[in-house]
Amino acid sequence: MTVARHATPEGTAAFAAERRHYGAADTPRGFDGLTLSSVGIGTYLGPSDTVTDRIYEAAIARAFDLGCNVVDTAINYRCQRSERAIGRALAEGKIPREQIIVSTKGGYIPYDGEPPADPAAYFRQTFVASGLLDPQDVVSGSHCLAPRFLVHQIERSLANLNLACIDVYCLHNPEMQLEEIPVDRFYERMRAAFEALEGRVDAGQIRCYGIATWNGLRASTGAAGLISLERLAALARQLAGERHHFRVVQLPYSLAMPEAYVRKNQTVRGTAMTPFEAASALDLYVVGSAVLYQNRLAQDLPGEIRSRVTGVETDAQRAIQFARSTPGIGTALVGMKQVSHVEENLRVLAAPLLNAADIDGLVPR
């Protein structure tokens, strides 16, 4: 029997159908024929140690059991250990590879296993002396989008994840570059990065790519660090036509960070739009990150929010329900490394979505 290299439309549809009793209200959503769960599991937080590795492995496996088929990470998370934990969870083989969407990111220069005693020496020996990057391509001493570096990072991520192909590969916080280089030079670097990623699609190492931002899509109109989705989509079309593989946008979205839903800082075909609206107009799938605002929304929510978000029991569930229900969101990422948190948080998959009026009533204008 042939083992699938990546998620497939048939596999992800089967995953959703098989777990319908867990998430009866999890409305189908996705892109390119794939069916993605409305909640994904993130793997950012935690120390770089074996105990946390094992905790994550158990949490990821339980999330798959309960109807979550999206797992998100980055090569620099926990010094590459989060990718490796995902690889071990997938290697258990309890869930077929074609049913799971694996997303990772590259851009930050990662440590390996644990922070080195001498970070500067590690950087010089591992990346500069080897020719993997030119220090002139690095900003803030930690971030690089040079093609040679990205290709190396994809190969390392594939090894960490023990995969033949990554479903979604995102450039990690590309707005970091705008802190040190002019705007036109930034888009030149993004074009070169996109060209490298299209090449990795052709090579079968990734299925599609995107950007994972923190401030880059939430900034105010005219802010120095604001990224134009329309301009990025144009770069992708220049490189690969309408069949380009720039397909995903990730950005923070929560009760505490609602800018993507309300701030019209994007322009598409001459019309001012919010990031969510612009992504929809450009046929980009939106992944919301930091849904629990690094756990600060998991308790002590105001009474007004508790009264408006019904059908769930805990504040963490309310915050997740708000995010996954917002028009424009595809998948809401929740960092979860405890099985008990996975079991609590994924109960929202059985709750009916809030309507648009409910969301509007919860978002400050």
Side-chain angles (χ1 to χ4, degrees), residues 138-196:
V138 178
V139 301
S140 299
S142 63
H143 193 270
C144 181
L145 296 178
R148 181 191 292 268
F149 175 71
L150 291 174
V151 169
H152 172 267
Q153 293 294 278
I154 290 170
E155 292 171 349
R156 176 58 66 91
S157 288
L158 286 167
N160 288 341
L161 292 161
N162 193 30
L163 295 179
C165 182
I166 295 163
D167 299 299
V168 181
Y169 191 84
C170 286
L171 300 179
H172 199 175
N173 291 356
E175 64 268 28
M176 288 285 295
Q177 300 281 319
L178 285 168
E179 295 181 5
E180 296 189 19
I181 64 174
V183 171
D184 287 346
R185 179 64 178 137
F186 168 75
Y187 285 104
E188 289 173 5
R189 288 188 175 183
M190 291 298 287
R191 188 185 194 283
F194 277 18
E195 186 172 21

Side-chain angles (χ1 to χ4, degrees), residues 255 299-312 314-315 318-319 322 354 357-365:
L255 285 163
Q299 60 277 317
D300 301 324
L301 289 179
E304 181 181 359
I305 293 176
R306 290 178 172 176
S307 65
R308 283 180 175 271
V309 184
T310 59
V312 292
T314 68
D315 281 350
R318 292 181 183 96
F322 165 80
L354 305 176
D358 293 329
I359 299 298
D360 287 339
L362 291 165
V363 174
R365 300 284 175 169

Side-chain angles (χ1 to χ4, degrees), residues 215-258:
N215 292 321
L217 297 174
R218 298 188 305 114
S220 300
T221 302
L226 182 65
I227 295 173
S228 165
L229 286 177
E230 183 177 48
R231 193 163 177 178
L232 291 185
L235 292 179
R237 286 194 299 272
Q238 290 168 15
L239 291 166
E242 295 301 326
R243 300 185 68 176
H244 65 79
H245 297 88
F246 175 43
R247 303 293 294 115
V248 176
V249 171
Q250 187 180 128
L251 73 169
Y253 181 71
S254 69
L255 285 163
M257 304 171 76

Side-chain angles (χ1 to χ4, degrees), residues 7-18 33-35 98-99:
T8 66
E10 298 78 12
T12 56
F15 179 95
E18 290 166 5
L34 300 174
T35 303
E98 62 267 26
Q99 295 189 359

Side-chain angles (χ1 to χ4, degrees), residues 6 24 33 35 46 48 59 92 98 113 126 128 141 158 199 213 228 253-254 268:
H6 49 71
T35 303
S48 301
E92 290 292 320
E98 62 267 26
T126 305
V128 179
L158 286 167
T213 67
S228 165
Y253 181 71
S254 69
V268 178

